[in-house]
Amino acid sequence: MNVAEVVGRTLAALGVDTAFGVVGSGNFHVTNALVAHGARYVAARHEGGAATMADAYARLSGRVGVLSVHQGPGLTNAMTGIAEAAKSRTPLIVLAGEATEPRSNFFVDQAALAEAVGAVPLRISSAETAAADTAEAFRVAREGRRTVLLNLPLEVQGRHVPDVPRASVAGASVAGASGGNGPRGVPEAGEAARLAEILAAARSPVFVAGRGAREARHELEELAERAGALLATSAVARGLFRGSRWDLDVSGGFASPLTAELIRDADVLVGWGCALNMWTMRHGTLIGRDTTVVQVDLEAAALGAHRPVHLGVTGDVARTAREVTRLLGDDTRTGYRSAALATRIAGENRWRDVPYTDESGDGRIDPRTLTIELDDLLPAERVLSIDSGNFMGYPSMFLDVPDERGFCFTQAFQSVGLGLATAIGAALAQPDRLPVAALGDGGALMGVAELETVVRLGLPMVIVVYDDDGYGAEVHHFGPDGHPLDTVTFPPVDIAAIARGFGCEAVTVGDRSDLAGVARWLDGARERPLLIHAHVSRARGSWWLEEAFRGH
C-alpha cells in the first residue's frame, strides 16, 4: 500500500462517502483509493464547479465534503469555490497533488494560496505519518468547521507504507480525528445568566438564527416559547423555523416589509450562530436605537466582529439555549407574541402577499410573476440553490423551501457562476427532493459546462434562468447615472437551445402561458433535466440591489 492509497482508505474509514473533482495525474491514485474503499466519486467538468459541488454537499448533508484536484492549475481553477467554502466555514477537505520542485510547470505555493482565502493548509509529510496526517485534516475540518487543503507531495504519494489491517487503519484514524479535551461550547455561567435576565425582562424579543444554529431548532423554539420571541434567520439558514406560526423568514436585505418592521421594533435582538453583518442587519437599519443586541457564537472572535453588541456569549447554540431555558424556569412570557400578530404574520409576511404592479409585457415576464407561478407549480419537497446576481432576490424569497436543508446559498464570496454547481451538490445531498437551480444569464453561461454533469448524473433538475441580457446588477447600479453600459450588456443568447444541446429538455418563457411546458414536464417521467429560459422584464433592479451596493 502506498501513501495515496492510505489517504483514500483513511478518509473512507472516517465516513467520507462522496468526493467531487477533476482527475489528473497528481490526484489519480488517491481518488481511486477513495472509490475502492466505498466512496462515490462525482466527476465535474471544471475544478471550480467541483469545489462548489463539494461545498454544497457538505452544507446540506451535514458531512465533511471532499474535493480532489490536480496539482497547480487543478487547485488554482478551484480557488473561487474554495474561497466560498472557507468564508462560509464549510467542513471540507481539498485533496491536491503538490509539485514541490520550483522548476516544475505545476509549481505554485499551494499553502499560501490556501491561507490567502482563509483555508487551512496541511501536508502529508511522510509515509509513516500518512494516516495520522489525514486524520488530523479530517478533525480540523469537522470539529473546527474549516476548509482544509491537504497537500499530497508527488514524491511522497508513491512511497510504500507497511501493510496494516484495515481495522487498524480505521481505528487509528478515528482516534486521531476525535481529539479534543472534552465537549466544546458550554457557555460561561455568568454570560448565560445575563442572557436569561435580558430575556426575562424583554417585551418584544426577536431571535435571528444563522448557519451555526442549523442543528438547534428544537432548543431555540423551546427558549423562544418561554421568552415570547419571534423567529427569523439569516439567508443561509433560511427554512430553519418553517412551520412555526412565529417564523418571520429571512432577516436582512431579503426581509419582507413586515419582517423588517417587527425586527426593527424589537427591544431585544439575539443572534444565534449568526454574524449580524451588513446583509443580515441591512447595514444596521434593522436594529432599533434602543434595542439590546446579544450575540451567541461558538467562536469568541465572532462576537461583535461586525457591530457592537451589549452581550456576547461564547458557546454552542443548542447548549446555550438549553441552559438559558433552564434559568428562565417554567414561566412562559407573552413577549412579542399575540393572536393579532400571528394573524398578521400568516397573512402578510410572505413576499407574494405584498401587492405589486405586474410589469410583464413585450415578450418578457415580470420575475415576481414568474417565480410565484413556479412556486405554485413545483412540488413542495424541493432543494433550492441560488446563484449571485441582480435576479437572486426573486427565487430566494418568492420560492418557498420546506426546511433548512431545502435552501443552499453559496454567497459568502458573492461570486457569479456558482449556482449550477451548487445545485448539483445539493441534489446529491438531498436525493429525495426535486433540485431547483436559480441562475441569471451571466451565471448560467459561466457555469454552462456543468449542464453535462447534470445530464450524465441523471438528475431530474429544474434549472431556471432569469435572462435580462446582461449583468443586471451593474446595469441598474450605473445606468441611472448615465454611464455607458456596453461592457455589461450582451446580444440575446438562445440558452434553451444550448441546454438541448447538452441533453436537457427546455422551455422558453416570455409570459404566463409559456409555463404550460413546465407543468407538462412535471407531470411526465422527468427523465431529463428541464431548463426554463425566462426572458424577464428589466425596467428596474430588484429591491435588495440598493442595499447590496451600499456595501461596496
Side-chain angles (χ1 to χ4, degrees), residues 204 206 230 248 257-266 336 341 344-345 349:
S204 52
V206 170
L230 305 183
L248 300 181
L258 179 61
T259 291
E261 172 193 329
L262 294 173
I263 294 175
R264 193 176 290 117
D265 289 345
Y336 220 153
L341 184 54
R344 286 195 69 194
I345 293 172
N349 197 56

Side-chain angles (χ1 to χ4, degrees), residues 75 78 80 130 134 227 250 267 304 306 338 349 356 362 415 427 456 459 482:
L75 180 63
T80 296
T134 305
V250 174
D267 67 338
H306 292 275
S338 69
N349 197 56
Y356 70 94
D362 298 323
S415 174
R456 172 166 36 89
L459 298 176

Side-chain angles (χ1 to χ4, degrees), residues 164-457:
V164 292
R166 179 181 176 86
S168 298
V169 172
S173 302
V174 173
S178 60
N181 296 313
R184 292 184 71 202
V186 178
E188 195 273 327
E191 294 175 350
R194 179 61 185 138
L195 176 52
E197 291 174 0
I198 290 171
L199 290 176
R203 299 180 308 278
S204 52
V206 170
F207 291 175
V208 180
R211 190 175 174 197
R214 288 182 68 182
E215 304 297 330
R217 171 172 179 162
H218 172 75
E219 290 84 358
L220 288 176
E221 285 189 324
E222 185 176 4
L223 177 57
E225 178 72 19
R226 298 283 180 87
L230 305 183
L231 299 162
T233 70
S234 65
V236 293
R238 187 182 179 216
L240 179 62
F241 301 116
R242 189 62 79 247
S244 168
R245 62 192 294 210
W246 308 110
D247 178 18
L248 300 181
D249 209 5
V250 174
S251 172
F254 292 161
S256 70
L258 179 61
T259 291
E261 172 193 329
L262 294 173
I263 294 175
R264 193 176 290 117
D265 289 345
D267 67 338
V268 172
L269 178 70
V270 187
W272 298 90
C274 173
L276 299 179
N277 58 25
M278 64 182 184
W279 306 111
T280 306
M281 292 290 106
R282 283 192 182 176
H283 302 270
T285 63
L286 292 186
I287 300 175
R289 184 179 62 183
D290 299 320
T291 302
T292 298
V293 180
V294 180
Q295 188 178 3
V296 180
D297 202 283
L298 191 61
E299 305 294 336
L303 302 176
H306 292 275
R307 63 186 60 261
V309 297
H310 297 90
L311 173 66
V313 180
T314 303
D316 171 76
V317 168
R319 287 178 174 166
T320 301
R322 282 197 299 268
E323 176 60 13
V324 175
T325 300
R326 185 188 68 81
L327 291 170
L328 283 178
D330 295 331
D331 293 338
T332 298
R333 296 151 184 82
T334 301
Y336 220 153
R337 301 182 176 191
S338 69
L341 184 54
T343 299
R344 286 195 69 194
I345 293 172
E348 301 176 35
N349 197 56
R350 293 191 303 170
W351 268 106
R352 65 184 295 164
D353 298 325
V354 179
Y356 70 94
T357 301
D358 192 326
E359 297 176 351
S360 302
D362 298 323
R364 292 188 173 272
I365 187 169
D366 189 307
R368 294 165 292 188
T369 302
L370 167 71
T371 314
I372 291 169
E373 293 288 327
L374 289 174
D375 190 45
D376 290 338
L377 281 170
L378 299 174
E381 284 300 308
R382 64 187 71 152
V383 54
L384 173 62
S385 301
I386 310 292
D387 208 335
S388 189
N390 173 62
F391 78 96
M392 62 190 281
Y394 301 115
S396 293
M397 298 316 302
F398 285 87
L399 282 177
D400 202 7
V401 295
D403 54 35
E404 74 279 10
R405 300 292 181 190
F407 189 68
C408 200
F409 195 69
T410 46
Q411 297 291 334
F413 200 30
Q414 287 185 258
S415 174
V416 174
L418 304 186
L420 185 56
T422 298
I424 295 171
L428 295 174
Q430 297 290 327
D432 296 330
R433 299 183 180 188
L434 177 71
V436 180
L439 321 173
D441 52 306
L445 292 171
M446 280 187 186
V448 71
E450 302 305 344
L451 277 178
E452 189 278 333
T453 306
V454 176
V455 173
R456 172 166 36 89
L457 295 177

Side-chain angles (χ1 to χ4, degrees), residues 82-229:
I82 293 171
E84 168 65 36
K87 285 177 174 288
S88 297
R89 297 295 293 267
T90 298
L92 175 66
I93 296 173
V94 181
L95 300 172
E98 183 184 30
T100 56
E101 171 51 59
R103 289 173 294 182
S104 169
N105 287 348
F106 293 126
F107 177 78
V108 65
D109 190 341
Q110 297 189 172
L113 281 174
E115 289 181 332
V117 299
V120 178
L122 297 175
R123 178 176 285 113
I124 300 296
S125 56
S126 69
E128 291 75 20
T129 63
D133 292 342
T134 305
E136 174 62 9
F138 187 89
R139 184 195 67 79
V140 172
R142 184 181 64 180
E143 296 186 5
R145 291 175 50 241
R146 300 296 299 273
T147 294
V148 177
L149 169 63
L150 184 57
N151 283 307
L152 309 175
L154 300 181
E155 68 275 14
V156 174
Q157 284 193 47
R159 291 179 184 170
H160 178 70
V161 178
D163 288 337
V164 292
R166 179 181 176 86
S168 298
V169 172
S173 302
V174 173
S178 60
N181 296 313
R184 292 184 71 202
V186 178
E188 195 273 327
E191 294 175 350
R194 179 61 185 138
L195 176 52
E197 291 174 0
I198 290 171
L199 290 176
R203 299 180 308 278
S204 52
V206 170
F207 291 175
V208 180
R211 190 175 174 197
R214 288 182 68 182
E215 304 297 330
R217 171 172 179 162
H218 172 75
E219 290 84 358
L220 288 176
E221 285 189 324
E222 185 176 4
L223 177 57
E225 178 72 19
R226 298 283 180 87

